[in-house]
């Protein structure tokens, strides 16, 4: 059975939530940076599994000083699971045109409305895959995708694997 996990990552802060999930699942987790530290640690201590360059859900994007952008980002974070959430609906609720809201969000965060929305949905998908046995079709619906193929496409862009492969890799850790 797997008990000790070494996570090797240049940016340990980006793996904080991932490691917390592993710890809550009962694993003894150690984080090391790639390079000399990881090799020395792996030689000194026995680990059941070594995970290198972990792809984890994105950290929250920065919130902008412009209150309209902050409200738009809050809408995404609050309503991401609604399949009818669109740039146009959020722009209208703020009294802005979709193109103006796009420009404001892009200037404040460096990303578009759609990128933020899909990042939030994929982040929640990864969390559900790690923490629940919920079927992927239901997860797709829960996070706002009308079709599993939409979820697959966006998830693969972020993690380079399908949700089913991601879940299978987590299950292999628990064997």
């Amino acid at each position: 059975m797997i008990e000790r996990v070494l996570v090797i990552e240049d940016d340990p802060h980006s793996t904080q939530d991932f490691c917390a999930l592993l710890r809550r699942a009962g694993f003894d987790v150690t984080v090391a940076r790639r390079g000399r530290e990881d090799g020395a640690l792996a030689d000194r201590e026995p680990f059941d599994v070594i995970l290198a360059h972990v792809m984890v859900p994105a950290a929250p994007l920065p919130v902008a000083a412009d209150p309209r952008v902050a409200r738009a980002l809050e809408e995404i974070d609050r309503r991401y699971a609604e399949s009818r959430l669109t740039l146009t609906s959020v722009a209208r609720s703020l009294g802005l045109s979709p193109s103006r809201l796009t420009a404001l969000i892009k200037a404040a965060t460096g990303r578009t409305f759609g990128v933020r929305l899909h990042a939030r949905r994929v982040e929640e998908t990864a969390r559900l895959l790690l923490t629940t046995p919920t079927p992927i079709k239901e997860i797709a619906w829960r996070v706002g995708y009308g079709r599993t193929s939409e979820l697959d496409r966006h998830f693969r862009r972020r993690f380079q694997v399908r949700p089913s492969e991601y879940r299978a890799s987590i299950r292999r850790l628990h064997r």
Side-chain angles (χ1 to χ4, degrees), residues 65-105:
D66 185 321
R68 297 169 298 182
V69 173
R71 284 179 35 213
L73 298 178
E74 288 168 7
E75 284 291 299
I76 292 170
D77 287 342
R78 191 167 42 85
R79 297 178 47 208
Y80 69 89
E82 296 175 23
S83 61
R84 294 179 190 220
L85 179 64
T86 64
L87 170 65
T88 301
S89 66
V90 174
R92 280 189 189 143
S93 75
L94 297 171
L96 298 169
S97 70
S99 61
R100 180 66 180 139
L101 182 56
T102 296
L104 289 171
I105 291 174

Side-chain angles (χ1 to χ4, degrees), residues 95-164:
L96 298 169
S97 70
S99 61
R100 180 66 180 139
L101 182 56
T102 296
L104 289 171
I105 291 174
K106 179 94 172 166
T109 68
R111 298 195 172 129
T112 65
F113 177 92
V115 168
R116 173 69 181 233
L117 175 60
H118 293 298
R120 181 65 182 96
R121 287 175 172 171
V122 167
E123 177 182 290
E124 180 62 10
T125 297
R127 187 189 73 75
L128 290 169
L129 290 169
L130 286 168
T131 61
T132 72
T134 305
I136 293 170
K137 185 174 184 176
E138 185 178 331
I139 290 174
W141 178 80
R142 275 192 195 181
V143 300
Y145 290 115
R147 296 184 314 262
T148 305
S149 61
E150 284 182 276
L151 172 60
D152 280 352
R153 185 174 70 247
H154 292 287
F155 198 88
R156 269 189 297 193
R157 266 190 208 139
R158 172 68 178 94
F159 291 102
Q160 289 76 51
V161 295
R162 300 176 80 183
S164 57

